[in-house]
């Protein structure tokens, strides 16, 4: 067996490890972050389970850490009291980004983890089988229920030779994105293998598994080997280690090879992570802002490299350089080694250990500004500045841009040879800022400020669905298009009536108004609809406004699951040319829809005099959800 099969087989509760079959997995750990966590715990609460049934669950606060009003602070207190009550460890604001902290302090090889954030596969760098999911799926896992996925295709990414010069782990994942695009990983798990893995540290591996999310992959993973062991020993967690290597004769559904020796520093262009060029190709573009951090590149090693490059230089007068360390551990050690002084002296601005600019929580660039970031996403408008342009790259390329004020190959700024990064033998371990749950949760009262609004009941599917086309969009619509993030919107993550007002705001300013005048709506789209974040709000917002179905050429996995969870019917075109038969404002009629889906009969869409068949891929469990109007209606109905 390969590494994935070994872990899946140990956690398989039902189904078979055959590509395309629905399988149910036992989940050992869960993580939530604040921006999706409030919904997760509201749903967990509705399940009436006294205490989480996972081996370990952690609730992180890392996204909405700017409190410009009471809203985010209300949410944080709500989360802290929920954690205390339900048996969850609480990691408050300031401890760091959930994925980086989970890697350091909680992840363990061979275990399964599900998180209400799409970058949960970061701990795949430790040999964990890690999935991003909607909050509801995470709540179900916390309640002891299995996690359902369609058994993916397992692709071996065979890494050969070694990185040379200024090429880095970030360039490995950028190369994969260049080759496969943002939809190339749908329905796939990438298992990284080959001798070259021995040349990559756990945090380098985690950079790769983190950003493999941008391929649309179900997850990605490295084996657990001596390097994993060394990482865990430094974290004082040697007992969490177990070796998990692929068997010699293990087979894969597919294989890709990357020769690390051929890689050069790469950079992805606005506004999609797969628009990858070599840095050399686009040298000379002037830069306004450089951000180093995010769950992709904020480890101690990444920040130490940035600090080494900062020694004795000053950043360009036209650039604002900001650093957001991934964890309190990384920040403390940077301070101990005096690397922090080097960064501050060169002109860097220090932000707290959190997602920060990555999610538009501050640091929005100037109008039409150019921002070079070590992050994983560059979707239009995500920074909070609609016409800003984001380029994604490694910390070395980012530092070169900060010093020169333009995109430039690091060797032209810092010489042919990158500095050698030597990390301390012992890491700084201090778990006092993780708060343990109460012994008896029943006595803990959950705090609810006025920003915590409970979810409404949604009605189920009727016999016939007649829905107006409320929006027609193209390929690769992201969840940032559907329900944006940013400092103005994020504070309403636990207030659906309020946040729904922002739905598709940047795509079509009339969308919300249009929805308010119709009974039922349908959205029509192209390929990879819903890529990006796991935010359930991208399903809840449209559902609240009356959207009952989404008809597209293909979906991104997490978003499709979220739609079903909230009773929105996901449909796909069988013949993609039918997309052209539909216009904004048309009425699409699905007759006898309930009976048709129940009895697995062909479903036809009637629109403007045409009729064509559409596909619905729903398991019996998912059909029940759609008929009931989503999982909350099922729970509240006592089923
Ligand atoms: C993101 O990177 O888009 C986020 C913000 O971390 C999201 C979760 C969210 O929308 O809260 C994600 O990746 O799932
Ligand atoms: Fe946070 Fe950005 Fe990572 Fe999402 S991608 S978890 S916003 S740092």
């Amino acid at each position: 067996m390969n590494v994935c099969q070994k872990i899946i087989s140990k956690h398989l509760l039902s189904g078979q490890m055959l590509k395309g079959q629905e399988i149910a997995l036992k989940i050992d750990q869960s993580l939530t972050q604040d921006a999706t966590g409030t919904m997760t715990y509201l749903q967990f609460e509705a399940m009436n389970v006294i205490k989480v049934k996972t081996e370990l669950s952690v609730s992180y606060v890392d996204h909405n850490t700017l409190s410009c009003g009471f809203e985010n602070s209300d949410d944080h207190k709500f989360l802290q009291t929920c954690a205390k009550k339900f048996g969850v460890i609480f990691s408050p604001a300031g401890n760091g980004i959930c994925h980086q902290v989970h890697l350091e302090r909680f992840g363990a090889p061979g275990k399964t983890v599900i998180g209400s954030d799409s970058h949960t596969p970061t701990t795949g760098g430790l040999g964990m089988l890690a999935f991003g999911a909607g909050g509801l799926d995470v709540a179900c896992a916390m309640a002891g229920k299995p996690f359902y996925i369609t058994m993916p295709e397992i692709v071996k990414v065979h890494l050969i030779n070694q990185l040379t010069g200024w090429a880095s782990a970030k360039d490995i994942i950028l190369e994969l994105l260049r080759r496969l695009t943002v939809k190339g990983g749908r329905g796939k798990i990438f298992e990284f293998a080959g001798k070259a893995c021995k040349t990559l540290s756990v945090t380098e591996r985690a950079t790769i598994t983190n950003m493999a999310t941008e391929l649309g992959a179900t997850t990605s993973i490295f084996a657990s080997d001596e390097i994993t062991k060394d990482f865990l020993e430094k974290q004082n967690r040697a007992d969490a280690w177990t070796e998990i290597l692929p068997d010699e004769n293990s087979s894969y559904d597919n294989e890709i090879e990357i020769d690390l020796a051929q890689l050069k520093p790469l950079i992805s262009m606005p506004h999609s992570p797969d628009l990858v060029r070599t840095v050399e190709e686009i040298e000379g573009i002037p830069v306004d802002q450089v951000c180093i951090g995010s769950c992709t590149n904020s480890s101690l090693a990444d920040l130490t490299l940035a600090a080494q490059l900062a020694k004795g230089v000053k950043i360009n007068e036209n650039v604002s350089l900001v650093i957001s360390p991934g964890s309190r551990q990384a920040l403390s050690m940077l301070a101990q080694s005096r690397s922090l002084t080097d960064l501050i002296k060169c002109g860097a601005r220090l932000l707290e250990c959190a997602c920060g600019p990555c999610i538009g929580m501050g640091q929005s660039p100037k109008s039409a500004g150019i921002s070079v970031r070590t992050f994983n996403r560059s979707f239009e408008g995500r920074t909070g500045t609609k016409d800003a342009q984001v380029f994604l790259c490694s910390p070395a390329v980012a530092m070169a841009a900060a010093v020169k004020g333009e995109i430039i190959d690091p060797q032209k700024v810092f010489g042919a040879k990158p500095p050698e990064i030597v990390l301390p033998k012992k890491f700084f371990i201090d778990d006092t800022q993780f708060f343990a749950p109460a012994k008896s949760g029943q006595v803990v009262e959950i705090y609810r400020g006025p920003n915590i609004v409970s979810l409404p009941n949604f009605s189920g599917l009727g016999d016939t669905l007649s829905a107006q086309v409320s929006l027609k969009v193209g390929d690769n619509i992201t969840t940032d298009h559907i329900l944006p993030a940013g400092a103005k919107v994020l504070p309403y993550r636990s207030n659906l009536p309020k946040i729904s007002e922002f739905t598709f705001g940047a795509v079509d300013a009339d969308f919300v108004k249009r929805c308010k005048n119709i009974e039922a709506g349908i959205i029509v789209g192209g390929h990879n609809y819903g890529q990006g974040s796991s935010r359930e709000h991208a399903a809840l917002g449209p559902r609240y406004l009356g959207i009952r179905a989404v008809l597209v050429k293909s979906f991104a996995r997490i978003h499709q699951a979220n739609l079903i969870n909230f009773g929105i019917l996901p449909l796909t075109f069988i013949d993609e040319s039918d997309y052209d038969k539909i216009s904004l404002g048309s009425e699409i009629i699905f007759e006898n829809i309930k009976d048709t889906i129940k009895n697995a009969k062909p479903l036809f869409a009637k629109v403007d005099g045409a009729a064509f068949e559409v596909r619905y891929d729903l398991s019996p469990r998912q059909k029940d959800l759609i008929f009931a109007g989503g999982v909350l209606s099922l729970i509240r109905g006592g089923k």
Side-chain angles (χ1 to χ4, degrees):
M1 285 196 275
N2 53 47
V3 172
C4 287
Q5 289 165 335
K6 286 188 178 179
I7 306 180
I8 292 176
S9 62
K10 284 218 167 106
H11 292 83
L12 197 62
L13 295 175
S14 70
Q16 280 180 297
M17 284 200 296
L18 295 174
K19 195 173 91 187
Q21 283 219 356
E22 188 172 77
I23 54 169
L25 293 175
K26 177 184 175 295
I27 294 298
D28 303 320
Q29 299 188 357
S30 76
L31 68 85
T32 53
Q33 44 92 338
D34 50 335
T36 52
T38 46
M39 278 298 161
T40 312
Y41 292 100
L42 282 170
Q43 296 174 104
F44 182 79
E45 198 188 5
M47 292 174 186
N48 279 323
V49 178
I50 292 171
K51 195 169 179 274
V52 293
K53 300 203 169 130
T54 42
E55 289 171 14
L56 172 106
S57 288
V58 190
S59 170
Y60 295 93
V61 175
D62 54 0
H63 280 63
N64 298 352
T65 57
L66 286 183
S67 292
C68 301
F70 62 90
E71 292 87 354
N72 290 341
S73 303
D74 271 8
D75 286 0
H76 299 168
K77 199 75 207 165
F78 169 77
L79 290 170
Q80 184 167 13
T81 50
C82 282
K84 204 166 195 122
K85 187 172 181 71
F86 297 132
V88 175
I89 295 171
F90 183 64
S91 176
N95 271 2
I97 306 172
C98 55
H99 308 304
Q100 178 64 29
V101 180
H102 210 78
L103 190 76
E104 291 168 358
R105 304 304 309 142
F106 300 106
K111 299 276 182 195
T112 52
V113 57
I114 169 175
S116 64
D117 190 283
S118 62
H119 292 103
T120 304
T122 311
T123 47
L126 261 185
M128 275 191 110
L129 196 63
F131 302 98
L136 186 60
D137 287 331
V138 178
C140 287
M142 290 194 292
K145 304 217 166 79
F147 176 53
Y148 296 89
I149 51 163
T150 307
M151 179 66 197
E153 175 179 329
I154 303 176
V155 181
K156 174 177 178 181
V157 186
H158 190 210
L159 303 180
I160 60 165
N161 295 322
Q162 278 200 38
L163 293 167
T164 60
W166 289 90
S168 70
K170 184 65 163 271
D171 301 308
I172 300 176
I173 188 60
L174 287 175
E175 170 64 10
L176 212 49
L177 276 154
R178 186 186 71 76
R179 291 196 205 172
L180 303 181
T181 81
V182 289
K183 45 181 200 282
R186 282 190 311 118
K188 297 181 183 151
I189 298 183
F190 292 100
E191 182 171 318
F192 292 85
K195 286 214 182 75
C197 292
K198 293 264 173 264
T199 65
L200 299 170
S201 67
V202 165
T203 52
E204 287 176 307
R205 295 173 183 185
T207 292
I208 297 169
T209 53
N210 170 283
M211 200 167 174
T213 297
E214 268 46 70
L215 294 161
T218 303
T219 188
S220 54
I221 194 166
F222 278 79
S224 167
D225 56 10
E226 291 298 315
I227 291 172
T228 324
K229 185 177 178 195
D230 179 63
F231 175 85
L232 288 168
E233 275 168 357
K234 286 198 167 115
Q235 291 289 343
N236 210 4
R237 298 201 294 122
D239 50 358
W241 184 71
T242 127
E243 188 174 61
I244 310 169
L245 303 175
D247 291 333
E248 287 235 331
N249 53 355
S250 57
S251 67
Y252 295 83
D253 296 310
N254 232 318
E255 185 168 332
I256 302 173
E257 187 175 274
I258 303 184
D259 181 352
L260 304 198
Q262 297 298 318
L263 292 182
K264 292 189 169 152
L266 299 173
I267 188 158
S268 105
M269 313 260 294
H271 300 284
S272 183
D274 57 1
L275 299 176
V276 177
R277 305 278 183 276
T278 62
V279 171
E280 244 180 332
E281 270 176 284
I282 63 158
E283 269 180 352
I285 297 179
V287 170
D288 302 294
Q289 181 191 58
V290 173
C291 304
I292 299 181
S294 94
C295 55
T296 322
N297 279 115
S298 61
S299 64
L300 178 66
D302 283 333
L303 301 179
T304 306
L305 172 73
Q308 296 267 7
L309 301 179
K311 257 192 189 145
V313 298
K314 297 284 171 209
I315 59 161
N316 185 278
E317 64 177 312
N318 295 318
V319 177
S320 165
L321 167 67
V322 294
I323 312 278
S324 28
S327 66
R328 197 185 285 282
Q329 181 187 73
L331 177 58
S332 311
M333 292 180 71
L334 269 188
Q336 269 168 2
S337 69
R338 303 191 65 78
S339 289
L340 193 58
T341 315
D342 294 324
L343 283 167
I344 291 169
K345 268 192 176 161
C346 91
R349 300 164 63 185
L350 185 66
L351 303 179
E352 71 175 321
C353 307
C355 302
C358 180
I359 191 61
M361 263 290 151
Q363 313 310 128
S364 302
K366 77 172 180 32
S367 295
I370 292 185
S371 181
V372 170
R373 301 177 163 207
T374 65
F375 303 174
N376 48 33
R377 287 188 174 151
S378 54
F379 305 141
E380 200 177 354
R382 186 175 160 97
T383 60
T385 304
K386 174 111 173 65
D387 57 2
Q389 307 218 47
V390 174
F391 292 75
L392 305 171
C393 61
S394 66
V397 175
M399 276 307 287
V403 172
K404 282 293 165 201
E406 58 183 48
I407 293 174
I408 185 166
D409 196 302
Q411 71 162 330
K412 296 194 180 139
V413 185
F414 305 114
K417 224 172 142 259
E420 206 191 321
I421 303 301
V422 185
L423 298 179
K425 287 226 160 41
K426 275 243 116 316
F427 270 50
F428 170 75
I429 313 287
D430 172 15
D431 287 340
T432 56
Q433 295 305 304
F434 296 109
F435 300 121
K439 285 226 163 55
S440 164
Q442 264 138 320
V443 297
V444 179
E445 279 251 350
I446 296 179
Y447 170 88
R448 264 173 251 270
N451 195 41
I452 316 283
V453 177
S454 51
L455 289 169
N457 277 329
F458 296 127
S459 57
L461 194 64
D463 290 333
T464 288
L465 176 63
S466 170
Q468 202 182 91
V469 180
S470 314
L471 191 69
K472 187 173 175 189
V473 286
D475 289 347
N476 292 327
I477 286 295
T478 70
T479 45
D480 278 292
H481 287 115
I482 306 173
L483 228 165
K488 292 195 191 95
V489 185
L490 281 167
Y492 303 114
R493 282 289 180 93
S494 47
N495 186 340
L496 180 58
K498 188 87 189 185
I499 204 169
S500 65
E501 297 286 328
F502 296 92
T503 312
F504 280 114
V507 175
D508 180 341
D510 293 330
F511 176 77
V512 173
K513 212 165 52 198
R514 198 177 301 129
C515 287
K516 284 189 175 158
N517 294 325
I518 56 174
E519 187 114 320
I522 180 166
I523 293 167
V524 175
H527 279 293
N528 201 22
Y529 180 85
Q531 69 159 325
S533 152
S534 65
R535 65 189 70 143
E536 290 171 304
H537 307 77
L540 274 163
R543 180 67 187 88
Y544 187 77
L545 297 170
I547 300 298
R548 305 303 304 265
V550 177
L551 172 58
V552 296
K553 293 179 185 167
S554 62
F555 285 99
R557 173 187 65 90
I558 304 180
H559 186 61
Q560 181 170 9
N562 285 340
L563 289 174
I564 297 169
N565 283 344
F566 295 103
I568 297 183
L569 183 60
L571 300 169
T572 49
F573 290 102
I574 292 176
D575 178 350
E576 288 183 7
S577 70
D578 290 332
Y579 171 88
D580 301 321
K581 299 183 180 144
I582 306 176
S583 325
L584 181 68
S586 297
E587 192 78 18
I588 307 189
I589 302 169
F590 303 93
E591 277 163 4
N592 296 327
I593 189 165
K594 206 164 165 182
D595 176 67
T596 303
I597 293 178
K598 200 177 200 162
N599 298 304
K601 294 194 267 193
L603 179 65
F604 288 91
K606 287 191 181 161
V607 54
D608 298 335
F612 51 84
E613 193 185 336
V614 295
R615 184 182 296 113
Y616 54 93
D617 266 331
L618 299 169
S619 66
R621 182 183 61 86
Q622 293 172 323
K623 287 182 185 178
D624 285 344
L625 288 173
I626 296 284
F627 297 153
V631 92
L632 276 183
S633 313
L634 264 189
I635 296 168
R636 287 183 181 145
K639 293 186 207 156

